[in-house]
């Protein structure tokens, strides 16, 4: 059965032995049937949330020349500022402006794998224009890192694994995590670009284990796809974070936890910009797909898998599952780097031209395969139609709207 709403879970219930079993049962349902959920009472005060939102929104008000001093393409780390419409998802331009920040690391040494470039110092806006920005977001990254590791332990318990089942994929307090601060302009301010569509972010699945979204304005726009192919709104709710399950977690749990396709629509003309601050939990970049497939966290109990199979079905899905063995990447770090190159082609052109060329070859091959499948489908459809006899009126062509 396809979900029609996103469940809301109270994290405080996980702290009480009397209410924890019911919490874990609700969490298991959300993991298996939805792949998305809200959590409330996460241990962050309203004042801290307000400060994070205020500093995040203030970033977009600083002069353009200050933003360009920390532009993402300045460094191979994919950290820093991205101009409006500089990112691509599902082959289409995303109409958003953003800054990417991560857990800070020193620059990688000689001989380190290319994906180690993702572990680097941040490009911070100048303290002269945003004196509190660095402190606020460095603290928020640490806080969210702790929350994400704790919540992952609850996920393990919810699917009847030991609470420390995922610990081998984390580097302790030094674990690399990332966040974005995003502004989605309303379509009325996009000019000609807005006439091409309202894609804030195209349909996609998140990559790693879990992500945690702080919706930083009143706008709707985030939507989650159910198995019927319907897009279900995930509106802002004060005091909550929206948790999305990633492809890495689906792979690690043998498909028990569901990575769900989602998208963001730009605000309507006149509605003003939408702001959001998603946090992406990291895992060790040297984790191999072979480990995910054959070792992982151990076997999820068969009774849990049976519950997942009972609720699963072959539904509509507008995004491909890409985190699997046999592709161009052998490790999660390599796969993450390829995904970043695919999304930020300006950074790829400057720092990773060979990977960008490989990604484009892969995209061309997939596009050719899709065209061939569509051609075959149309031919089979034509063969199945009864031949028109004299006097028959041919069917009217189907009207297709251009997107």
């Amino acid at each position: 059965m396809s979900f029609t709403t996103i469940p809301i879970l109270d994290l405080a219930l996980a702290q009480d032995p009397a209410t924890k079993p019911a919490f874990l049962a609700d969490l298991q349902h959300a993991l298996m049937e939805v792949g998305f959920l809200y959590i409330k009472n996460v241990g962050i005060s309203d004042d801290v949330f307000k400060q994070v939102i205020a500093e995040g929104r203030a970033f977009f008000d600083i002069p353009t020349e200050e933003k360009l001093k920390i532009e993402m393409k300045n460094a191979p780390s994919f950290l820093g500022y991205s101009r409006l419409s500089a990112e691509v998802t599902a082959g289409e331009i995303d109409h958003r402006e953003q800054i990417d920040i991560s857990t800070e690391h020193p620059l990688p040494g000689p001989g380190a794998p290319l994906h180690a470039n993702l572990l680097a110092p941040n490009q911070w806006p100048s303290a002269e224009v945003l004196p509190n920005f660095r402190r606020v977001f460095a603290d928020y990254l640490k806080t969210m890192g702790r929350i994400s590791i704790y919540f992952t332990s609850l996920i393990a318990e919810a699917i009847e694994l030991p609470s420390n089942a995922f610990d081998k994929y984390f580097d302790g307090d030094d674990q690399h995590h990332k966040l974005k601060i995003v502004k989605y302009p309303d379509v009325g301010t996009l000019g000609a670009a807005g006439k091409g569509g309202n894609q804030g972010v195209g349909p996609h699945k998140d990559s790693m284990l879990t992500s945690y979204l702080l919706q930083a304005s009143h706008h709707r726009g985030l939507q989650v796809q159910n198995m019927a192919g319907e897009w279900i709104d995930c509106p802002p709710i004060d005091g909550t974070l929206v948790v999305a399950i990633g492809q890495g977690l689906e792979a690690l749990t043998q498909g028990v936890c569901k990575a769900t396709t989602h998208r963001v629509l730009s605000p309507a003309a006149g509605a003003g910009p939408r702001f959001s601050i998603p946090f992406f939990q990291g895992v060790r970049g040297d984790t191999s797909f072979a480990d995910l497939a054959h070792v992982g966290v151990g076997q999820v109990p068969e009774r849990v898998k049976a519950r997942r199979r009972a609720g699963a079905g072959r539904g509509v899905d507008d995004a491909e599952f890409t985190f699997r063995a046999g592709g161009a990447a052998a490790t999660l770090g390599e796969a993450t780097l390829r995904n970043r190159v695919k999304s930020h082609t300006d950074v790829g052109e400057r720092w990773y031209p060979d990977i960008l060329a490989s990604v484009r070859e892969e995209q061309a091959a997939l596009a050719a395969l899709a065209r061939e499948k569509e051609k075959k489908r149309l031919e089979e459809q034509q063969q199945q139609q009864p031949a028109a006899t004299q006097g028959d009126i041919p069917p009217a062509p189907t009207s297709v709207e251009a997107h």
Side-chain angles (χ1 to χ4, degrees), residues 155-167:
I155 289 174
E157 292 186 76
I159 58 173
E160 301 183 22
L161 290 173
S163 62
N164 65 352
F166 298 105
D167 286 1

Side-chain angles (χ1 to χ4, degrees), residues 6-197:
I6 310 301
I8 304 172
L9 274 65
D10 186 346
L11 203 54
L13 299 180
Q15 313 282 335
D16 184 342
T19 54
K20 187 174 182 180
F23 172 88
L24 293 177
D26 289 342
L27 178 55
Q28 184 184 98
H29 171 80
L31 294 169
M32 291 184 179
E33 305 298 332
V34 185
F36 253 73
L37 62 147
Y38 295 91
I39 52 174
K40 64 181 182 179
N41 294 321
V42 300
I44 298 176
S45 70
D46 288 343
D47 286 344
V48 170
F49 274 141
K50 288 176 182 176
Q51 190 175 33
V52 168
I53 290 170
E55 289 293 325
R57 292 177 65 145
F59 171 78
F60 299 101
D61 294 331
I62 67 175
T64 300
E65 58 266 25
E66 291 291 334
K67 297 176 191 173
L68 295 181
K69 288 178 183 177
I70 57 170
E71 194 167 13
M72 184 180 284
K73 66 182 180 183
N74 293 344
S77 60
F78 292 89
L79 299 173
Y81 170 67
S82 294
R83 305 183 196 208
L84 178 64
S85 304
E87 190 168 358
V88 175
T89 304
E92 300 292 338
I93 291 173
D94 294 335
H95 297 306
R96 58 175 169 167
E97 182 184 4
Q98 66 190 34
I99 180 172
D100 286 53
I101 303 166
S102 78
T103 308
E104 293 205 272
H105 290 80
L107 291 170
L114 271 183
H115 67 77
N117 287 335
L118 302 176
L119 310 180
N122 284 305
Q123 296 195 81
W124 295 103
S126 168
E128 293 181 3
V129 293
L130 288 174
N132 298 317
F133 185 93
R134 181 170 184 166
R135 173 186 58 81
V136 167
F137 279 100
D139 289 348
Y140 187 67
L141 269 165
K142 289 179 183 176
T143 299
M144 286 307 306
R146 290 193 296 269
I147 289 172
S148 70
I149 300 296
Y150 171 61
F151 193 73
T152 306
S153 75
L154 294 174
I155 289 174
E157 292 186 76
I159 58 173
E160 301 183 22
L161 290 173
S163 62
N164 65 352
F166 298 105
D167 286 1
K168 64 179 285 190
Y169 297 107
F170 304 129
D171 283 321
D173 292 338
D174 198 39
Q175 178 57 52
H176 179 261
H177 304 291
K178 193 184 80 159
L179 66 78
K180 295 174 181 279
I181 308 165
V182 190
K183 175 183 179 181
Y184 299 93
D186 75 46
V187 294
T189 66
L190 292 172
K195 296 178 181 177

